[in-house]
Amino acid sequence: DAGVIQSPRHEVTEMGQEVTLRCKPISGHDYLFWYRQTMMRGLELLIYFNNNVPIDDSGMPEDRFSAKMPNASFSTLKIQPSEPRDSAVYFCASSLALGANYGYTFGSGTRLTVV
Amino acid sequence: DAKTTQPTSMDCAEGRAANLPCNHSTISGNEYVYWYRQIHSQGPQYIIHGLKNNETNEMASLIITEDRKSSTLILPHATLRDTAVYYCIVRVAETSGSRLTFGEGTQLTVNP
């Protein structure tokens, strides 16, 4: 298994532009998570899905952020319009379940820089 | 989910055991202790978890005190590649509302 795959690895964009981050979870994993990591705030959970349905989006910072999971093998996190304070590393993770014996598998992340 | 306290940083000599402590004095009976680590520029990686018994796998051992208020992650023979931030996380694993919440972790530096 190739693990959780995120693209792009690096993204540099200008303020005001739309940014789309992509994630392919591990096949068969029912849960998908989007995290953001910054020096100031550490790793924060933004949103998670169960069977392609968003369950908790309370961590999404504001309406400029949106996430979708159109099928079991693909999810996107979109920022429109982007702002410099959105600069961070965005991680996607997937898990078989939320039970005790199921760890999360993280992707390598997308480093976003908004200038 | 219960809060955890970890030292900000630790050093360890290569080849020696690295013992990383975690305090979780407010842990509840149905909360598990999880350890993840994050090597620089990579995503977090699952290491081990436990409820009340000590656990061991190919990566590490987890020692949980009898009162469950603290635990220690042991890397028996640390290598330079074990240099990373180690996160101790406590969470209820059986409810749909429970998910991983990361604190600040311990920066472990393994020195040659």
Side-chain angles (χ1 to χ4, degrees):
Chain A
D1 196 326
V4 175
I5 300 172
Q6 292 186 247
S7 64
R9 284 300 309 273
H10 301 274
E11 176 80 40
V12 180
T13 191
E14 292 186 347
M15 182 174 64
Q17 296 298 307
E18 177 181 293
V19 176
T20 300
L21 311 181
R22 297 172 176 79
C23 175
K24 176 179 168 56
I26 291 175
S27 177
H29 280 195
D30 289 339
Y31 287 82
L32 183 139
F33 308 83
W34 282 100
Y35 282 81
R36 177 174 68 174
Q37 186 171 35
T38 61
M39 289 292 292
M40 291 293 292
R41 301 173 67 91
L43 270 162
E44 305 173 276
L45 177 64
L46 300 178
I47 185 172
Y48 79 94
F49 295 81
N50 177 23
N51 291 325
N52 314 336
V53 176
I55 302 301
D56 185 352
D57 65 355
S58 60
M60 296 285 263
E62 48 196 278
D63 292 344
R64 298 183 296 105
F65 286 69
S66 63
K68 294 182 180 179
M69 193 164 185
N71 57 62
S73 59
F74 184 65
S75 176
T76 60
L77 178 67
K78 186 176 293 186
I79 308 172
Q80 165 63 20
S82 57
E83 297 182 3
R85 60 194 168 118
D86 301 330
S87 297
V89 181
Y90 291 81
F91 290 102
C92 175
S94 69
S95 177
L96 268 171
L98 287 183
N101 294 316
Y102 300 101
Y104 293 16
T105 301
F106 284 78
S108 299
T110 294
R111 181 174 295 277
L112 173 65
T113 303
V114 183
V115 297
Chain B
D1 295 335
K3 195 171 179 179
T4 62
T5 304
Q6 298 178 252
T8 302
S9 63
M10 292 183 65
D11 284 278
C12 177
E14 188 178 19
R16 305 297 293 269
N19 298 288
L20 292 93
C22 180
N23 182 286
H24 31 79
S25 58
T26 60
I27 193 170
S28 300
N30 61 346
E31 289 182 311
Y32 290 72
V33 180
Y34 291 79
W35 283 85
Y36 280 72
R37 73 179 182 183
Q38 187 174 22
I39 296 170
H40 184 61
S41 297
Q42 297 182 22
Q45 176 190 23
Y46 167 81
I47 301 173
I48 199 168
H49 76 279
L51 182 61
K52 51 185 174 182
N53 297 322
N54 298 338
E55 303 288 344
T56 295
N57 62 21
E58 65 279 4
M59 290 183 69
S61 295
L62 174 60
I63 307 298
I64 303 174
T65 58
E66 195 168 338
D67 63 7
R68 303 206 325 120
K69 294 185 176 182
S70 64
S71 61
T72 301
L73 178 75
I74 301 172
L75 308 178
H77 305 287
T79 71
L80 299 179
R81 287 177 295 180
D82 292 321
T83 293
V85 177
Y86 286 77
Y87 298 97
C88 171
I89 301 166
V90 172
R91 72 168 180 134
V92 177
E94 296 301 334
T95 65
S96 61
S98 174
R99 57 269 187 199
L100 281 178
T101 302
F102 289 81
E104 296 185 1
T106 296
Q107 171 66 58
L108 174 68
T109 302
V110 181
N111 301 304

